[in-house]
Structures are given as structure tokens and as C-alpha cells.
Amino acid sequence: MCTQEAFQAQRSQLVGLLVSGSLEGFESVLDWLLSWEVLSREDYETLSLLGQPLSHLARHLLDTVWKKGAWGCEQLIAAVQEAQADSQSPELPCGWDPHSAHPARDLQSHRPAIVRRLYSHVEGVLDLAHERGFVSRYECDEIRLPIFTSSQRARRLLDLATVKANGLAAFLLQHVQELPVQLALPFEDAACKKYMSKLRTTVSAQARFLNTYDGAENLCLEEIYTENVLEIRTEVGMAGAPQKSPATLGLEDLFSTPGHLNKDADTVLVVGEAGSGKSTLLQRLHLLWATGRDFQEFLFVFPFSCRQLQCVAKPLSVRALLFEHCCWPDLGQQDVFQFLLDHPDRVLLTFDGFDEFRFRFTDRERHCSPTDPVSVQSLLFNLLQGNLLKNARKVLTSRPDAVSAFLRKYVRTELSLKGFSEEGIELYLRKCHREPGVADRLICLLKATSALHGLCHLPVVSWMVSKCHQELLLQGRGSPKTTTDMYLLILQHFLLHASPADSAPHDPGPGLLRGRLPTVLHLGQLALWGLGTCCYVFSAKQLQAAHVDSEDVSLGFLVRAKRVVPGSVAPLEFLHITFQCFFAAFYLVLSADTPPSSLRYLFNCRRPGSSLLARLLPAMCVQGSRCREGSVEALLQGAEPHNLQITAAFLAGLLSREHRGLLAECQGSEKALLRRQACARWCLARSLHKHFHSIPPAVPGEAKSMHAMPEFVWLIRSLYEMQEERLAKEAVRGLDVGHLKLTFCSVGPAECAALAFVLRHLRRPVALQLDHNSVGDIGVEQLLPCLGSCTALYLRDNNISDRGICKLIEHALHCEQLQKLALFNNKLTDGCAHSMARLLACKQNFLALRLGNNHITAAGAVVLAEGLRANTSLQFLGFWGNKVGDKGAQALAEALGSHPSLKWLRS
């Protein structure tokens, strides 16, 4: 028995008990009291006010219950015990009646069990309730406000059901029974609960702000985050029936995607080019978990940065990795660690930037002890293989080139991050600029300058466009065409804002750069040394060695690294790896310590044991292999190939004619710049010629074919950055092929612009195959200048819509050589049918049109049939996988019944 007097005497202990946990624990107590009818609906609403301190709510609850007498006091004690003992998911009671005549009353009496059942399914239940008309879109949005956790959203949905008389309560009562039971916290240990709370707080603090692209740390992730295009990565050369194009996934689908590479593996691999948003994607995941909005199947999430892990010299155990390099338990370390070992399925580890981990993956060294220390690379590799913390989920991000076939054996699912869609670019800029009219003007500028628009599919470039919006909109400067143009613009933006207002030149030209040249060279020296030694975070000693002082740091391109060892001084890192490559290129162009001949090592891209690209480049590009330690040549030989490629493209851009005057003003010797430019031009041209000469001879009776490797795309990008028409003509003079294949080469809009810049100078037209890339509508627009040099264009799986295809066809009507189009697995609808019909009617030398797996209906088929009737040359037509129905099929059949040239049809 608990008398009111005894209850009052224990008041301070009860307050402490109610506030010792989280708000979730307090609300669980309210659930039990409401289900037992200790609290009225009015009492409950008073105790559920948002924004009130937990201690205030706890005291208010004690006052409310005390007024209800000894019985109420006893029930509160029982409710606290039930909430604390809620270690297993409560099952629905035996007397559960899903067809009860009083559904609202039953929802209240079984509230604790229902909240637990709804916990992980509230989003789907809300969608279904809205679809069936039980809740409005406004009510859904109110429940889904980001300030609420999943359990709070479940409670708000139940609260709504008590006041709506439209059948919502009965719907919930029936539907809840069909939901799978959500696993609850399988422990009662206070140390584990406190550690989980501390870990959530730590991860939330790290994830709340974006400093990856902003040294001022003033970008709130919640306000700025925009979804990227995330797809399941398609297997190259998969056999079987043609597949539908990959569905675009949401971040919440990360662990529920089909198509496992290895169903026994635990690692999800996310690949994407530099600047595509991989780090921000992980940061969003961390924030959603830490704030209780998603991924709640994991009790513990441990974020790690590969660039920082590789700096750890001493051997590590699993325990040291989790506790010393992420979050330290304040008490019960052994109990917490034992729980992690006993329940690895409730643990998620994320490793960002595997491409920046200087150790190559190997599965030769097996290590299975979670307590014995080993080297950091052995520890990471054994975690990924599942030898340590088997069944713990891991998410690994990387650039594609750094992922080996050995590593893929231990990958459960591989996803590809493609950057922003066109809609994503617009949404991001609107989030960045909420002032009236600014975003509209910026978006109009992008749509009018397709080259810049194409660059913006990378979030890092969209951020730069946002930062430099005044320069782009107000100063009347020519819009950037190349990546180098954009990075020079952001450099000038930072220089202008770092200069005193009374001394800063108003024209962001040579004077501005010349005044801070020592700073730029210091940053460049540090960047090059970091690339050559695979170092991406810098200590104070390393900064001093590169002569980088506080004034240089204040420019804003170096920021404090996140996720450092607690209690240590955070090292500095460049805003993004592409900025490190940009400053390294700047140093190579302007430093007096860089002999022009050393640039040949930049285009060699060879590492010991990895000579694929070296075989494509002329031996004369590299004069000997022995280099003085610490020299420019030695640093270039030690750098990662993918970083060298980015640096080489920037160097080519900086040496372009457009920027030569700017750099000559700073360097003082235009002759030295011309020597560097001549060396870079010669290396690029010779490299491409060697690439072309390595193409095997054609099979008798077939056109000579070349399957380009990603390195070829990089060389083309470098030519484009240099913007020299004569060099482009010289470079492709030796290309004698009938079919150029660039499938699965990460070709996006920027790469399309580079291809068009070079391929339009071909002496003989080619069939250009760009299947399974990220061309999109913007990329199609970039390809138009080289369409006259194409006999065929293959664009399967490229996320192209009617808008892009209509522009393509409008241009194709004037290209006599173009005779084939393959457009499987895109987003085409009836909206492009008139353009397709016009193409067939007007081009009487057109041979093949493949439109399978799109979204064309009977209406589009009828329009297309008109074009087929007027055509006399078509030999191949693919139309399977659309939804033309009987009417559309009949129209096509009638049009093709007496076609004079058709040889192959699939519909």
C-alpha cells in the first residue's frame, strides 16, 4: 500500500526517477496511466505540452496524481515500474478484438502496446490512412513535424483517432494487429542507457551543422539538406532479361534494398564521384538516428572518418576504436562493451571516405579477437569482412575507383550516389536563398547557361554557385564553363571576403590574387604534400612545415576536422578533397620550385603494382623512376591515382589561354607558364594517341570498336578544361573506330560537355554508346554539338525525360549521319511521341529506334504510328515494356503491316 503521506515523502526521489531518463521514458509512464484511466484526456494534454522542461512536467504529474488519492499514487508507482521493465515488446492482449464496437476506448486501454507496435511503421500507416481518406495531408504534415520522434508521432496519431469520428480509430485497431512487433530495448542496465544517451548527444552535435563546405560552420544541415539521386548500382554484364531502370531510393531505404551482392555480408557500400554528397548523406543518417526520427532499429551508431583513422599509428582493438575514437562510456565500460558484443545486430558503424584510406583492402590477415589490438587497417578490413562484430551493419562510402573486386566480395548491397537531379539543384538553391527573387534569378541563370547547369549536379558545385551568387548575378561576369572556372571564382570570392574592406580591390582579378599569392602558395604546398603522402588532415606541426600560419587559415579553405579523439586538438582539413587538388594544381603552376618536366609525372598516374593507366601512356612521359624524397616528382608518384586525375584536370584548366593572363600577372614570367602549358599539352595529346593506338584491330566484317576506360574520360575532361580547339583536333586525329563505348563510366553532364568538345572534331562519325550513366536532360543538351559526328547514339538507363529527348530530336533532324537511337529504361512518356513521329517521317535514312521500358501509353503509340506510316527506311523497332494496351498495339500493327524495310520488331 502507498499512502499519500508516503508518496509525498518520496516526492524528491520520484522526481529524480522521472527525469533521470529521457522524455520517451516519461511519456511511456503517461501511456500506462492513460490506459488505466488514472489520467483523464484533459490531464494527459496538460502533461504533454511541448517545450516544457522535463522536471516541470514531472512535478506537475506528481501533483495531478496526488490529488487522485492513494489509488492514483499506487498506480503511478506501478506505471514507473512498467516503463522501466519495458525490456520486451509488449504483445497484444489475448482479449484483443480488432472489430470492437468501441475502437477509441480500446486504443486507449491498450495504448502502451499499440505505441510500440506503431513505432517503426508510423510513416507507412500514415500514408495508408491518408490514402483511405481518414486523415488529411495537413494532419499528416502536423504529425510528421521533424521535432517529433517516431514514438511521439505514433502517440499523436492515436490522439487524433480519439477526436475524429470518421472511422480512423477502427482502422488503426484493425491495422495494428497486422504490424510486425518492433524489438524493444533488450536490456535494463543503467550504464548502457546512459551510454546510448551520451552517444546520441555526441553524434547529434557532430551532425547538426555542415562545415564540409563552409568554414564558418553556419550551415544547419536540417535547413539545407537536399536529397541526392541514390540508386542500386547495376551489375556490369548481367545476363538474363532486360531489367527495368534502377529505382531512385530514399535514404530510409538504405538497409531494405533488394538485389544483394552477398546476402551473408553486413556492409552497404555507397559509391559516388568526388563532390557527389557522400559525406553529407552519412551526416544526414547520423542526425536522423540521433534525433530519433529514423534508423531506430540501431541502438548505437558509431561514425568514423577513414582519413582520420589512417593517422592512428598505435594498434587498436574494437573496444579502443569504439570508445577512444568515438564516444567514451562514463561508467560500466565492460558492461557496455559486452552488450555490444552480445547484440551486434543493434549496432551500426559508418566509415566515410574509404578512397582516402591509404591502405589497399586485403583479406589475407584474419583477426577475430575484439579485445586484442592490431593495426588500424587490419581492424577495419576485418570489421568489413565480418570477422569482428559479425551482424553489425556497416556503411562504407568511397569513390568508385578505390573499390576493388576483393572488397566487393564482402559487400551486401552497392548503391550509387549520382548527385543532384535538376529538381534537386533548384530545391537546394531555394533553401540557400530564401530572400525574394534571388533563387529565381540564380535558377534562370543556370537554365540559360547549360555548361554551368551541368556542373551543378555535383552538390559541391551547387554550393559554390550559391556562395558566389552575387558575382554571378550582379557583376556581369561571363558564366563559368569549366570546373576550373568555378573553383577560380570561389577562390576570388574567399579572397575578396577575407580582405579588409578599405584595402580590397573591387575588381576580383589579378590584383586581388597577387596580394594573397603567398597564402595561396602555402596552401598549395600543404595540399601537394598531403596528396603525395596520402594525408588529408593536418596537425599544427605539419602546417608549420608548409609555412601555413593563422592568416592563411583565416582565408577559410582549411576547417577543423570532425570526429576527433575526445580531449585532443582538432586537426585541420581542406573544405573538400577537390579543393586540396585545386590548390596542389595551383602550386604546380605557379611555384618556382616546380620544373616543367615534373608535370609529366602528374599524367603518369602510376602506383607500384598498379600500372593499368601507365600502359596507356607513353614511356617518354616519365624520365626514370628514381626521385629525390620530398621532391615534386616523388610526391606526384606517391599520390592516389584518382586525386592525381582531379589535380591534372585543374592544372590543364589553369594553363588554358583564358586564365594564362591572370596567372602571368601573379607569376611574373609568362615564358615559364608557356613552358608548363607546352608540357601539359604534349602529355595530354601523346597520352590519347597512345590510348587510341592500343585499340585492337577490328574483327573481320565488323566495325572497329573501342571500349573506353574511366581514364579515357579523365583525359577528355582535361582537354575540355584546357579549352583549346586545336589540341582537341590533334588529340582525336588518331581515333579510327566505328564504335566508341563508354558504358558504366560515371558519365554525367560535365563529362558530356567534354566529350562533345572533343568528338565533334572526329574525321569519321562513330556510334557513341553511353548506356548506364547519368547523362540526364542536361547531359543530352551538352551532347548536341557532337551529334553530327555520330551514326548512332545509345542512351539506355540515363534518367532522360521528354524534355531532353525533344531537344535531341530537334537537333537530330539536321544531322544526316545519325541513323540509330537507343533509349531503353528512361523516363519517356507520350509527351515525346510527336517529336519521335516527326523524326521517323523526316529522316528517310533512319534505321533503328529502341524505346523499350519507358512510360508510353496508347495515346503515344497512336501518334508514333503516324510517323511509322510515313517512314520507308526503319529496320529495327523496340517498343517492349511500355503500356500501349490493345488500342496502341493495333495502331502500331496497322502502321507496320506493310512497312517496306522493317526487319526486327519487339513490342
Side-chain angles (χ1 to χ4, degrees), residues 282-303:
L282 278 189
Q283 192 170 335
R284 176 66 173 173
L285 183 157
H286 299 152
L287 185 63
L288 290 175
W289 173 79
T291 54
R293 283 178 282 164
D294 211 337
F295 306 105
Q296 296 307 292
E297 63 268 34
F298 303 111
L299 299 179
F300 303 92
V301 172
F302 296 96

Side-chain angles (χ1 to χ4, degrees), residues 66-86:
W66 186 81
K67 294 175 183 177
K68 297 181 183 292
W71 173 79
C73 297
E74 289 178 3
Q75 295 298 92
L76 175 60
I77 300 297
V80 171
Q81 292 171 345
E82 289 285 357
Q84 288 182 330
D86 191 16

Side-chain angles (χ1 to χ4, degrees), residues 526-560:
L526 178 70
L528 180 61
W529 177 85
L531 293 181
T533 58
C534 298
C535 179
Y536 310 103
V537 291
F538 307 101
S539 65
K541 185 176 180 180
Q542 291 164 339
L543 295 175
Q544 187 177 5
H547 309 292
V548 175
D549 56 23
S550 58
E551 185 179 355
D552 300 333
V553 173
S554 69
L555 186 58
F557 286 101
L558 289 171
V559 295
R560 294 288 172 192

Side-chain angles (χ1 to χ4, degrees), residues 187-242:
F187 60 86
E188 303 175 35
D189 186 78
C192 288
K193 289 186 176 180
K194 284 186 178 295
Y195 182 62
M196 186 173 70
S197 176
K198 180 179 180 180
L199 182 62
R200 283 184 185 273
T201 302
T202 301
V203 173
S204 177
Q206 291 176 347
R208 196 164 295 277
F209 293 99
L210 265 176
N211 75 341
T212 307
Y213 301 152
D214 191 81
E217 297 190 7
N218 60 356
L219 287 178
C220 179
L221 181 68
E222 201 70 58
E223 296 176 359
I224 215 73
Y225 181 78
T226 305
E227 289 281 354
N228 285 6
V229 178
L230 184 67
E231 297 177 351
I232 298 178
R233 194 167 189 270
T234 311
E235 281 288 297
V236 182
M238 283 184 65

Side-chain angles (χ1 to χ4, degrees), residues 609-637:
S610 175
S611 58
L612 174 64
L613 185 60
R615 291 197 297 270
L616 304 177
L617 299 176
M620 59 197 311
C621 276
V622 182
Q623 302 173 348
S625 58
R626 292 185 177 181
C627 301
R628 178 174 54 84
E629 185 178 356
S631 66
V632 171
E633 294 90 342
L635 290 173
L636 292 176
Q637 282 193 324

Side-chain angles (χ1 to χ4, degrees), residues 75 168 172 204 243 273 297 388 465 470 527 533 543 646 670 732 745 824 906:
Q75 295 298 92
L168 175 60
L172 291 177
S204 177
Q243 300 294 312
E273 298 301 317
E297 63 268 34
L388 294 168
V465 167
Q470 290 185 336
T533 58
L543 295 175
I646 298 173
E670 189 169 1
V732 297
C745 284
F824 299 135
R906 187 175 181 190

Side-chain angles (χ1 to χ4, degrees), residues 425 445-458 461 465 472 478-486 717 720-721 723 748-754 757 777-783 785 807:
I425 294 170
L445 172 68
L446 289 183
K447 289 182 176 180
T449 52
S450 61
L452 180 57
H453 202 184
L455 295 175
C456 283
H457 84 285
L458 289 178
V461 179
V465 167
L472 290 167
S479 294
K481 291 176 61 177
T482 68
T483 305
T484 308
D485 295 344
M486 198 64 236
R717 279 292 300 268
Y720 178 69
E721 293 292 321
Q723 287 287 298
E751 289 74 23
C752 289
F757 179 77
D777 292 342
I778 304 176
V780 166
E781 191 173 349
Q782 301 298 310
L783 288 171
K807 283 188 177 181

